[in-house]
Amino acid sequence: MKNLDKLLNDPKVKEAKKLLTEALSNHSRHIGKPKGPDPDLAQDFEKLLESYGQMRGGPLFYPYIGSGLGKGALVELMDGSVKYDFITGIGVHGFGHSHPDIISSSIDAALTDTVMEGHLQQNSDAYELTKLLIDISGLDHCFLSSTGAMANENALKICFQKKYPADRILAFERCFMGRTLALSQVTDKPMFREGLPLNQPVDYVPFYNPENPKESTELAVKTLTSHIDRYPGKHAAMSFELIQGEGGFNLGTPEFFKALMDILKDRGIPVMIDEVQTFGRTTKPLAFQHFGLEDYVDVVTIGKLSQACATLYKSHLKPGPGLLSQTFTTSSSAIRASKVIIEKLVSEGHFGEDGKNMAIHKYFVEKLKSIGKKHPGLVRGPYGIGCMIAFTPLDGGSAQVVDFARELFKQGVMSFIAGKSPVRCRFLVPMLAVTNHDIDKAAEIIEKTLLICKERHS
Ligand SMILES: Cc1ncc(COP(=O)(O)O)c(C=O)c1O
């Protein structure tokens, strides 16, 4: 047994973990259902929010500062309120709050020698995670990093280097890829690149429209071909978000993606899949596997639910020495949590057409549909797949949907907005924690909130 394993299996460590878990469960005993703020804490909380907004240079979207305690799908705020966390920080803690196995892996991480691992000095846990990601993805190489944006930057860098002197990228309209200087150009939101230098030429292809499958596929193929013909040899990659996250949980189909990827293969343009938001949420660990695109993929990025982020790629894209590096790999706790999350998703039956991710989807979607039936005109959709669920509330206009999301927060369920014309309300549910009971209760709150907002806007 390795020395560290001996330490982690030491009876004293096991006893300490047991005591810590008991203490945590004692101190989070009061978290059992959503509740409003404690009036005694309201004043201090307001001050905290104001001061935080002031320090960070702009107010928080929600009046949210967590206490650091939570239980499953529920989270506690500093004002003493408890909410269903159905957006999980936009995927930051997709496994739920205070999950005992994640806590255990964090304790293990805390007993290792450092906080952050660096690319010059990584521990055996980074090796094990890298191996696991290569195994589940079927790709040849894996480079770990600490944000989705960095994973995407690394993916683009290896494509650019391989396709030099190509300097353009292909991407879908309404895509989101991240917020670095280069990625702000690819992300299709004018507001996110306002005032920034145009440092990355991007050619956009329209996404699949489920209401017009044939026409939208033909339009995408025609647009892609005309971009490639206009700039022969100048495209380093096409980035695919197979389920558009920020775009509103729009799905393509295998036929749609293959029609485009066949052209890219034929023209020697690498296929890059951005799975930062989709990782772990569909019927397979990776959404490209869900859509059966294994033969087409050259490079894939993951993040969010995976905690540690990564760029996975085939060997023909292997970059020259020096192209990829950073100080931080990521934290030991993220690396260990990543492994636990992936192993649990597999061992607890989250994947497959009848797996838990799809069961959660079906249950939640049925609830939203029945609210829609009861109150015609208040719910459009639902959209998405697996543990990515969205719907269009009210009139779908930005003012009403933002108001709905804020009121829903106040009533006890956290969601977020996505898409444009119409705007949708989306949920990234904590699949390793959420129960049907949680979904029942959240659905009651969603219905109540829709009625409050309908009244307000009538
Ligand atoms: C599809 C997609 N790509 C990339 C990113 C960027 O990831 P990060 O915010 O971790 O840099 C996001 C974040 O929302 C995303 O949804």
PDB file of all heavy atoms in Angstrom, residues 145-156 176-181 183 272 274 276 301-303 309 311 326:
ATOM      1  N   SER A 145      -7.098  21.168 -16.494  1.00  0.00           N
ATOM      2  CA  SER A 145      -6.992  22.600 -16.191  1.00  0.00           C
ATOM      3  C   SER A 145      -8.083  22.974 -15.194  1.00  0.00           C
ATOM      4  O   SER A 145      -8.839  22.105 -14.747  1.00  0.00           O
ATOM      5  CB  SER A 145      -7.069  23.449 -17.461  1.00  0.00           C
ATOM      6  OG  SER A 145      -8.223  23.115 -18.178  1.00  0.00           O
ATOM      7  N   SER A 146      -8.169  24.258 -14.865  1.00  0.00           N
ATOM      8  CA  SER A 146      -9.048  24.606 -13.759  1.00  0.00           C
ATOM      9  C   SER A 146     -10.301  25.376 -14.145  1.00  0.00           C
ATOM     10  O   SER A 146     -11.125  25.661 -13.292  1.00  0.00           O
ATOM     11  CB  SER A 146      -8.263  25.370 -12.683  1.00  0.00           C
ATOM     12  OG  SER A 146      -7.473  26.339 -13.292  1.00  0.00           O
ATOM     13  N   THR A 147     -10.481  25.736 -15.413  1.00  0.00           N
ATOM     14  CA  THR A 147     -11.745  26.356 -15.828  1.00  0.00           C
ATOM     15  C   THR A 147     -12.127  25.825 -17.210  1.00  0.00           C
ATOM     16  O   THR A 147     -11.259  25.378 -17.975  1.00  0.00           O
ATOM     17  CB  THR A 147     -11.664  27.903 -15.946  1.00  0.00           C
ATOM     18  OG1 THR A 147     -10.787  28.225 -17.032  1.00  0.00           O
ATOM     19  CG2 THR A 147     -11.190  28.567 -14.686  1.00  0.00           C
ATOM     20  N   GLY A 148     -13.415  25.955 -17.491  1.00  0.00           N
ATOM     21  CA  GLY A 148     -13.902  25.548 -18.805  1.00  0.00           C
ATOM     22  C   GLY A 148     -13.262  26.397 -19.896  1.00  0.00           C
ATOM     23  O   GLY A 148     -12.914  25.899 -20.970  1.00  0.00           O
ATOM     24  N   ALA A 149     -13.110  27.693 -19.603  1.00  0.00           N
ATOM     25  CA  ALA A 149     -12.523  28.596 -20.605  1.00  0.00           C
ATOM     26  C   ALA A 149     -11.090  28.169 -20.921  1.00  0.00           C
ATOM     27  O   ALA A 149     -10.677  28.162 -22.087  1.00  0.00           O
ATOM     28  CB  ALA A 149     -12.556  30.032 -20.090  1.00  0.00           C
ATOM     29  N   MET A 150     -10.328  27.797 -19.887  1.00  0.00           N
ATOM     30  CA  MET A 150      -8.939  27.392 -20.137  1.00  0.00           C
ATOM     31  C   MET A 150      -8.899  26.089 -20.932  1.00  0.00           C
ATOM     32  O   MET A 150      -8.064  25.916 -21.825  1.00  0.00           O
ATOM     33  CB  MET A 150      -8.210  27.231 -18.790  1.00  0.00           C
ATOM     34  CG  MET A 150      -6.710  27.305 -18.898  1.00  0.00           C
ATOM     35  SD  MET A 150      -6.146  28.881 -19.569  1.00  0.00           S
ATOM     36  CE  MET A 150      -4.895  28.320 -20.714  1.00  0.00           C
ATOM     37  N   ALA A 151      -9.832  25.170 -20.627  1.00  0.00           N
ATOM     38  CA  ALA A 151      -9.902  23.912 -21.395  1.00  0.00           C
ATOM     39  C   ALA A 151     -10.195  24.233 -22.864  1.00  0.00           C
ATOM     40  O   ALA A 151      -9.594  23.639 -23.771  1.00  0.00           O
ATOM     41  CB  ALA A 151     -10.976  23.000 -20.812  1.00  0.00           C
ATOM     42  N   ASN A 152     -11.090  25.200 -23.097  1.00  0.00           N
ATOM     43  CA  ASN A 152     -11.411  25.578 -24.484  1.00  0.00           C
ATOM     44  C   ASN A 152     -10.252  26.295 -25.160  1.00  0.00           C
ATOM     45  O   ASN A 152      -9.975  26.067 -26.335  1.00  0.00           O
ATOM     46  CB  ASN A 152     -12.666  26.468 -24.505  1.00  0.00           C
ATOM     47  CG  ASN A 152     -13.943  25.650 -24.449  1.00  0.00           C
ATOM     48  OD1 ASN A 152     -13.925  24.444 -24.701  1.00  0.00           O
ATOM     49  ND2 ASN A 152     -15.047  26.284 -24.121  1.00  0.00           N
ATOM     50  N   GLU A 153      -9.590  27.183 -24.426  1.00  0.00           N
ATOM     51  CA  GLU A 153      -8.417  27.860 -24.998  1.00  0.00           C
ATOM     52  C   GLU A 153      -7.379  26.822 -25.426  1.00  0.00           C
ATOM     53  O   GLU A 153      -6.794  26.919 -26.498  1.00  0.00           O
ATOM     54  CB  GLU A 153      -7.783  28.807 -23.960  1.00  0.00           C
ATOM     55  CG  GLU A 153      -8.552  30.092 -23.734  1.00  0.00           C
ATOM     56  CD  GLU A 153      -8.152  31.194 -24.717  1.00  0.00           C
ATOM     57  OE1 GLU A 153      -7.049  31.139 -25.274  1.00  0.00           O
ATOM     58  OE2 GLU A 153      -8.972  32.105 -24.922  1.00  0.00           O
ATOM     59  N   ASN A 154      -7.145  25.830 -24.559  1.00  0.00           N
ATOM     60  CA  ASN A 154      -6.161  24.802 -24.883  1.00  0.00           C
ATOM     61  C   ASN A 154      -6.578  24.011 -26.126  1.00  0.00           C
ATOM     62  O   ASN A 154      -5.751  23.673 -26.970  1.00  0.00           O
ATOM     63  CB  ASN A 154      -5.952  23.862 -23.695  1.00  0.00           C
ATOM     64  CG  ASN A 154      -5.156  24.540 -22.580  1.00  0.00           C
ATOM     65  OD1 ASN A 154      -4.406  25.483 -22.837  1.00  0.00           O
ATOM     66  ND2 ASN A 154      -5.326  24.088 -21.345  1.00  0.00           N
ATOM     67  N   ALA A 155      -7.888  23.736 -26.234  1.00  0.00           N
ATOM     68  CA  ALA A 155      -8.387  23.001 -27.412  1.00  0.00           C
ATOM     69  C   ALA A 155      -8.144  23.824 -28.682  1.00  0.00           C
ATOM     70  O   ALA A 155      -7.664  23.298 -29.697  1.00  0.00           O
ATOM     71  CB  ALA A 155      -9.880  22.714 -27.245  1.00  0.00           C
ATOM     72  N   LEU A 156      -8.469  25.117 -28.604  1.00  0.00           N
ATOM     73  CA  LEU A 156      -8.274  25.959 -29.793  1.00  0.00           C
ATOM     74  C   LEU A 156      -6.788  26.058 -30.146  1.00  0.00           C
ATOM     75  O   LEU A 156      -6.411  26.010 -31.319  1.00  0.00           O
ATOM     76  CB  LEU A 156      -8.849  27.365 -29.564  1.00  0.00           C
ATOM     77  CG  LEU A 156     -10.380  27.454 -29.474  1.00  0.00           C
ATOM     78  CD1 LEU A 156     -10.821  28.911 -29.322  1.00  0.00           C
ATOM     79  CD2 LEU A 156     -11.056  26.837 -30.702  1.00  0.00           C
ATOM     80  N   PHE A 176     -22.036  29.473 -26.651  1.00  0.00           N
ATOM     81  CA  PHE A 176     -21.275  30.060 -25.544  1.00  0.00           C
ATOM     82  C   PHE A 176     -20.033  29.204 -25.352  1.00  0.00           C
ATOM     83  O   PHE A 176     -20.119  27.985 -25.234  1.00  0.00           O
ATOM     84  CB  PHE A 176     -22.105  30.063 -24.255  1.00  0.00           C
ATOM     85  CG  PHE A 176     -21.394  30.749 -23.118  1.00  0.00           C
ATOM     86  CD1 PHE A 176     -21.587  32.102 -22.868  1.00  0.00           C
ATOM     87  CD2 PHE A 176     -20.507  30.054 -22.308  1.00  0.00           C
ATOM     88  CE1 PHE A 176     -20.914  32.750 -21.828  1.00  0.00           C
ATOM     89  CE2 PHE A 176     -19.824  30.685 -21.270  1.00  0.00           C
ATOM     90  CZ  PHE A 176     -20.035  32.038 -21.033  1.00  0.00           C
ATOM     91  N   MET A 177     -18.873  29.866 -25.326  1.00  0.00           N
ATOM     92  CA  MET A 177     -17.640  29.078 -25.193  1.00  0.00           C
ATOM     93  C   MET A 177     -16.780  29.526 -24.028  1.00  0.00           C
ATOM     94  O   MET A 177     -15.801  28.865 -23.688  1.00  0.00           O
ATOM     95  CB  MET A 177     -16.822  29.239 -26.469  1.00  0.00           C
ATOM     96  CG  MET A 177     -16.589  27.953 -27.207  1.00  0.00           C
ATOM     97  SD  MET A 177     -15.429  28.229 -28.530  1.00  0.00           S
ATOM     98  CE  MET A 177     -14.323  26.863 -28.257  1.00  0.00           C
ATOM     99  N   GLY A 178     -17.122  30.691 -23.440  1.00  0.00           N
ATOM    100  CA  GLY A 178     -16.309  31.198 -22.342  1.00  0.00           C
ATOM    101  C   GLY A 178     -16.042  32.670 -22.542  1.00  0.00           C
ATOM    102  O   GLY A 178     -16.536  33.287 -23.491  1.00  0.00           O
ATOM    103  N   ARG A 179     -15.242  33.224 -21.641  1.00  0.00           N
ATOM    104  CA  ARG A 179     -15.135  34.688 -21.594  1.00  0.00           C
ATOM    105  C   ARG A 179     -13.707  35.224 -21.635  1.00  0.00           C
ATOM    106  O   ARG A 179     -13.467  36.331 -21.173  1.00  0.00           O
ATOM    107  CB  ARG A 179     -15.829  35.193 -20.329  1.00  0.00           C
ATOM    108  CG  ARG A 179     -17.328  35.022 -20.347  1.00  0.00           C
ATOM    109  CD  ARG A 179     -17.848  35.311 -18.969  1.00  0.00           C
ATOM    110  NE  ARG A 179     -19.287  35.205 -18.856  1.00  0.00           N
ATOM    111  CZ  ARG A 179     -20.147  36.199 -19.069  1.00  0.00           C
ATOM    112  NH1 ARG A 179     -19.720  37.371 -19.442  1.00  0.00           N
ATOM    113  NH2 ARG A 179     -21.437  36.007 -18.900  1.00  0.00           N
ATOM    114  N   THR A 180     -12.747  34.436 -22.108  1.00  0.00           N
ATOM    115  CA  THR A 180     -11.416  35.031 -22.300  1.00  0.00           C
ATOM    116  C   THR A 180     -11.510  35.973 -23.497  1.00  0.00           C
ATOM    117  O   THR A 180     -12.535  36.013 -24.191  1.00  0.00           O
ATOM    118  CB  THR A 180     -10.372  33.951 -22.612  1.00  0.00           C
ATOM    119  OG1 THR A 180     -10.772  33.301 -23.825  1.00  0.00           O
ATOM    120  CG2 THR A 180     -10.256  32.928 -21.493  1.00  0.00           C
ATOM    121  N   LEU A 181     -10.422  36.691 -23.781  1.00  0.00           N
ATOM    122  CA  LEU A 181     -10.460  37.619 -24.924  1.00  0.00           C
ATOM    123  C   LEU A 181     -10.820  36.890 -26.212  1.00  0.00           C
ATOM    124  O   LEU A 181     -11.662  37.346 -26.974  1.00  0.00           O
ATOM    125  CB  LEU A 181      -9.099  38.308 -25.077  1.00  0.00           C
ATOM    126  CG  LEU A 181      -8.897  39.603 -24.298  1.00  0.00           C
ATOM    127  CD1 LEU A 181      -7.502  40.144 -24.535  1.00  0.00           C
ATOM    128  CD2 LEU A 181      -9.931  40.645 -24.677  1.00  0.00           C
ATOM    129  N   LEU A 183     -12.252  33.791 -26.505  1.00  0.00           N
ATOM    130  CA  LEU A 183     -13.546  33.093 -26.436  1.00  0.00           C
ATOM    131  C   LEU A 183     -14.722  34.066 -26.427  1.00  0.00           C
ATOM    132  O   LEU A 183     -15.816  33.709 -26.862  1.00  0.00           O
ATOM    133  CB  LEU A 183     -13.593  32.172 -25.208  1.00  0.00           C
ATOM    134  CG  LEU A 183     -12.550  31.052 -25.210  1.00  0.00           C
ATOM    135  CD1 LEU A 183     -12.600  30.269 -23.896  1.00  0.00           C
ATOM    136  CD2 LEU A 183     -12.744  30.099 -26.380  1.00  0.00           C
ATOM    137  N   MET A 272     -14.345  19.983 -32.858  1.00  0.00           N
ATOM    138  CA  MET A 272     -14.132  20.229 -31.430  1.00  0.00           C
ATOM    139  C   MET A 272     -15.483  20.243 -30.726  1.00  0.00           C
ATOM    140  O   MET A 272     -16.394  20.934 -31.176  1.00  0.00           O
ATOM    141  CB  MET A 272     -13.455  21.600 -31.281  1.00  0.00           C
ATOM    142  CG  MET A 272     -13.298  21.974 -29.856  1.00  0.00           C
ATOM    143  SD  MET A 272     -12.830  23.687 -29.654  1.00  0.00           S
ATOM    144  CE  MET A 272     -13.311  23.849 -27.943  1.00  0.00           C
ATOM    145  N   ASP A 274     -17.482  21.119 -27.305  1.00  0.00           N
ATOM    146  CA  ASP A 274     -17.424  21.812 -26.017  1.00  0.00           C
ATOM    147  C   ASP A 274     -18.475  21.184 -25.103  1.00  0.00           C
ATOM    148  O   ASP A 274     -19.670  21.413 -25.269  1.00  0.00           O
ATOM    149  CB  ASP A 274     -17.703  23.305 -26.252  1.00  0.00           C
ATOM    150  CG  ASP A 274     -17.731  24.101 -24.958  1.00  0.00           C
ATOM    151  OD1 ASP A 274     -17.836  23.491 -23.884  1.00  0.00           O
ATOM    152  OD2 ASP A 274     -17.673  25.347 -25.028  1.00  0.00           O
ATOM    153  N   VAL A 276     -18.434  21.479 -21.740  1.00  0.00           N
ATOM    154  CA  VAL A 276     -18.283  22.069 -20.405  1.00  0.00           C
ATOM    155  C   VAL A 276     -19.614  22.019 -19.646  1.00  0.00           C
ATOM    156  O   VAL A 276     -19.647  21.730 -18.456  1.00  0.00           O
ATOM    157  CB  VAL A 276     -17.722  23.507 -20.510  1.00  0.00           C
ATOM    158  CG1 VAL A 276     -17.778  24.219 -19.169  1.00  0.00           C
ATOM    159  CG2 VAL A 276     -16.292  23.476 -21.030  1.00  0.00           C
ATOM    160  N   THR A 301     -13.812  19.182 -24.716  1.00  0.00           N
ATOM    161  CA  THR A 301     -13.486  19.837 -23.441  1.00  0.00           C
ATOM    162  C   THR A 301     -14.592  19.564 -22.429  1.00  0.00           C
ATOM    163  O   THR A 301     -15.766  19.455 -22.800  1.00  0.00           O
ATOM    164  CB  THR A 301     -13.352  21.360 -23.626  1.00  0.00           C
ATOM    165  OG1 THR A 301     -14.551  21.863 -24.217  1.00  0.00           O
ATOM    166  CG2 THR A 301     -12.173  21.704 -24.493  1.00  0.00           C
ATOM    167  N   ILE A 302     -14.205  19.451 -21.171  1.00  0.00           N
ATOM    168  CA  ILE A 302     -15.199  19.249 -20.106  1.00  0.00           C
ATOM    169  C   ILE A 302     -14.943  20.235 -18.968  1.00  0.00           C
ATOM    170  O   ILE A 302     -13.849  20.786 -18.829  1.00  0.00           O
ATOM    171  CB  ILE A 302     -15.194  17.795 -19.566  1.00  0.00           C
ATOM    172  CG1 ILE A 302     -13.848  17.454 -18.924  1.00  0.00           C
ATOM    173  CG2 ILE A 302     -15.531  16.805 -20.654  1.00  0.00           C
ATOM    174  CD1 ILE A 302     -13.895  16.191 -18.076  1.00  0.00           C
ATOM    175  N   GLY A 303     -15.976  20.435 -18.143  1.00  0.00           N
ATOM    176  CA  GLY A 303     -15.841  21.335 -16.997  1.00  0.00           C
ATOM    177  C   GLY A 303     -17.055  21.216 -16.099  1.00  0.00           C
ATOM    178  O   GLY A 303     -17.764  20.215 -16.117  1.00  0.00           O
ATOM    179  N   CYS A 309     -11.298  20.549 -14.870  1.00  0.00           N
ATOM    180  CA  CYS A 309     -11.648  20.706 -16.287  1.00  0.00           C
ATOM    181  C   CYS A 309     -10.578  20.003 -17.123  1.00  0.00           C
ATOM    182  O   CYS A 309      -9.484  19.723 -16.627  1.00  0.00           O
ATOM    183  CB  CYS A 309     -11.720  22.186 -16.641  1.00  0.00           C
ATOM    184  SG  CYS A 309     -12.934  23.043 -15.604  1.00  0.00           S
ATOM    185  N   THR A 311      -9.012  19.076 -21.396  1.00  0.00           N
ATOM    186  CA  THR A 311      -9.034  19.055 -22.859  1.00  0.00           C
ATOM    187  C   THR A 311      -8.593  17.650 -23.266  1.00  0.00           C
ATOM    188  O   THR A 311      -7.483  17.225 -22.932  1.00  0.00           O
ATOM    189  CB  THR A 311      -8.039  20.095 -23.425  1.00  0.00           C
ATOM    190  OG1 THR A 311      -8.331  21.358 -22.811  1.00  0.00           O
ATOM    191  CG2 THR A 311      -8.157  20.204 -24.936  1.00  0.00           C
ATOM    192  N   GLN A 326       0.116  25.515 -17.536  1.00  0.00           N
ATOM    193  CA  GLN A 326      -0.384  26.574 -16.648  1.00  0.00           C
ATOM    194  C   GLN A 326       0.276  26.316 -15.304  1.00  0.00           C
ATOM    195  O   GLN A 326       0.789  25.221 -15.071  1.00  0.00           O
ATOM    196  CB  GLN A 326      -1.902  26.470 -16.430  1.00  0.00           C
ATOM    197  CG  GLN A 326      -2.765  26.590 -17.653  1.00  0.00           C
ATOM    198  CD  GLN A 326      -3.736  25.442 -17.830  1.00  0.00           C
ATOM    199  OE1 GLN A 326      -4.048  25.098 -18.953  1.00  0.00           O
ATOM    200  NE2 GLN A 326      -4.193  24.841 -16.751  1.00  0.00           N
TER     201      GLN A 326
END
